[in-house]
Amino acid sequence: MKYDFIAIGGAVEDITLYVQDGQVINNPKDILRQKLVAFEYGAKISANKCFRFLGGGANNAATCLSRLGFTVGLLSSVGNDEFGRELFENLDENNIDTRLVRRIHDVSSGFSVVVVGPSGEHTAFVYRGAADLLEIGQVEKEMLACSKWLYISSLSGNWENILDKVFSVKGPAVVWNPGIVQLKAGVTKLKKYLKKTEILFVNKDEAIELAISENKYKKQSEKLLKDDRALIEALKNFGSKKVVITDGENGADYFDGEIFYHGNPLRVPENKIADTTGIGDTFCSTFVAGLEIYQGDFKKAMKLAMKNAASVLKKSGAQNGLMEL
């Protein structure tokens, strides 16, 4: 089977709680944690709404890409439990190939507890579960080689081995949206993968964390925070062919070593924002889809990504507002 995309990484259940309590605290002295969320210690925090959604970076990306009309597979691992069964049903409904999804006995599927505040912004507490046991063998590598694009999302468990296997596959272009575990490892460990990455996607906080993990940029953290061009150039120097940095309501930047382009978001009134869960997955996967649809026109790809992200922003959960083409 030939694929347009195979998404690699997590498929988890999102348990989303909508709360009115909690206070956002500015924390400017820590460049990597500029805003904190606080709740009364020892208190019981009431939620006015609670939902269960399908989520996970790779699952969200695969669903987005399939709804945009592409032939998509998912490489992930889940438990042989209720969520695992729901995931397979959802993948089938969205025409996503499941042959690379592994069911693992005696280990529960991963899940996130997502806390959404009054503004719609979210904080997620993640248990990886079966996602920690993701593996890639020869059969999986042969199937990966049948795809035009490989989309890597957040990884856990033996993630370096997974990246070694993915980046050893000849043929597909690799898009990478690294997770917190990879970012904490720093650029020294990641550079060999970045040099083989077609497009690197990170949000601004992640971009700063990755940049200052390199000694060369540690003392420039304040400059990188304020100068978007300097920040994206720093990341481009690590080896990726193209870099995209998202920054919420401030839009997103694209840089390929020659062309710098800023895309503005579609404004969504605050009273129309349901929650921000999955917005990054939607934007990144739609941007790559747009490059395919518009034959490499990154400006049109950016506009399509902004449009789809705005659509998801108006619905609860990571997949409910996804556009279909």
Side-chain angles (χ1 to χ4, degrees), residues 14-42:
D14 290 338
I15 302 168
T16 304
L17 303 172
Y18 292 80
V19 301
Q20 296 300 310
D21 293 330
Q23 183 175 352
V24 177
I25 301 173
N26 289 321
N27 187 38
K29 292 184 179 180
D30 187 343
I31 195 168
L32 299 180
R33 299 171 184 82
Q34 296 173 61
K35 289 187 177 182
L36 305 175
V37 179
F39 295 94
E40 182 185 353
Y41 183 73

Side-chain angles (χ1 to χ4, degrees), residues 59-120:
N59 180 33
N60 293 338
T63 303
C64 177
L65 291 162
S66 181
R67 292 191 188 177
L68 291 173
F70 293 96
T71 302
V72 182
L74 174 66
L75 195 163
S76 191
S77 56
V78 295
N80 191 31
D81 50 21
E82 182 181 357
F83 172 75
R85 292 186 287 275
E86 290 178 358
L87 174 68
F88 273 84
E89 291 173 3
N90 189 64
L91 294 175
D92 288 338
E93 290 174 3
N94 283 284
N95 298 312
I96 299 169
D97 189 87
T98 61
R99 284 178 291 175
L100 288 167
V101 182
R102 180 183 172 205
R103 280 191 177 104
I104 300 176
H105 293 271
D106 301 322
V107 179
S108 65
S109 297
F111 66 90
S112 300
V113 177
V114 182
V115 179
V116 180
S119 70

Side-chain angles (χ1 to χ4, degrees), residues 55-270:
N59 180 33
N60 293 338
T63 303
C64 177
L65 291 162
S66 181
R67 292 191 188 177
L68 291 173
F70 293 96
T71 302
V72 182
L74 174 66
L75 195 163
S76 191
S77 56
V78 295
N80 191 31
D81 50 21
E82 182 181 357
F83 172 75
R85 292 186 287 275
E86 290 178 358
L87 174 68
F88 273 84
E89 291 173 3
N90 189 64
L91 294 175
D92 288 338
E93 290 174 3
N94 283 284
N95 298 312
I96 299 169
D97 189 87
T98 61
R99 284 178 291 175
L100 288 167
V101 182
R102 180 183 172 205
R103 280 191 177 104
I104 300 176
H105 293 271
D106 301 322
V107 179
S108 65
S109 297
F111 66 90
S112 300
V113 177
V114 182
V115 179
V116 180
S119 70
E121 186 57 86
H122 76 281
T123 300
F125 301 83
V126 184
Y127 167 71
R128 299 291 179 183
D132 281 340
L133 302 178
L134 179 63
E135 295 179 352
I136 296 179
Q138 188 58 36
V139 172
E140 287 80 9
K141 284 183 64 177
E142 290 173 0
M143 294 180 71
L144 291 177
C146 295
S147 184
K148 185 173 182 179
W149 293 86
L150 301 178
Y151 181 105
I152 311 173
S153 69
S154 177
L155 299 170
S156 58
N158 194 3
W159 61 269
E160 288 183 78
N161 182 263
I162 295 170
L163 290 177
D164 286 339
K165 297 286 181 62
V166 173
F167 281 101
S168 72
V169 176
K170 305 298 182 184
V174 180
V175 177
W176 191 15
N177 181 207
I180 187 171
V181 178
Q182 289 75 59
L183 294 168
K184 285 185 178 299
V187 73
T188 300
K189 280 195 173 184
L190 302 186
K191 192 170 286 188
K192 64 179 180 179
Y193 306 120
L194 292 169
K195 290 179 178 179
K196 298 180 180 180
T197 298
E198 183 70 22
I199 311 174
L200 172 69
F201 286 102
V202 286
N203 64 37
K204 188 169 183 178
D205 287 344
E206 293 166 341
I208 292 170
E209 182 171 1
L210 184 58
I212 66 175
S213 71
E214 174 83 290
N215 287 332
K216 176 181 177 181
Y217 295 109
K218 270 186 179 177
K219 294 182 179 180
Q220 300 181 33
S221 58
E222 288 298 326
K223 177 185 177 182
L224 297 177
L225 178 64
K226 298 174 182 177
D227 189 336
D228 294 340
R229 180 66 180 262
L231 178 59
I232 203 167
E233 286 182 351
L235 265 60
K236 178 68 179 68
N237 288 337
F238 297 150
S240 302
K241 289 185 179 179
K242 305 175 184 70
V243 179
V244 177
I245 298 177
T246 60
D247 189 18
E249 63 183 14
N250 296 315
D253 294 322
Y254 164 94
F255 186 58
D256 62 11
E258 294 183 4
I259 300 171
F260 175 85
Y261 178 74
H262 177 78
N264 293 312
L266 293 181
R267 296 298 176 186
V268 178
E270 187 169 325

Side-chain angles (χ1 to χ4, degrees), residues 5 64-65 68-70 148-149 151 175 199 201 282-306 308 323 325:
F5 295 91
C64 177
L65 291 162
L68 291 173
F70 293 96
K148 185 173 182 179
W149 293 86
Y151 181 105
V175 177
I199 311 174
F201 286 102
T282 300
F283 178 90
C284 298
S285 52
T286 305
F287 183 90
V288 185
L291 293 179
E292 280 290 294
I293 294 169
Y294 302 120
Q295 300 179 326
D297 189 324
F298 60 86
K299 294 182 181 180
K300 289 184 178 179
M302 182 80 77
K303 289 179 181 178
L304 182 65
M306 292 296 187
N308 208 3
M323 299 187 319
L325 295 181

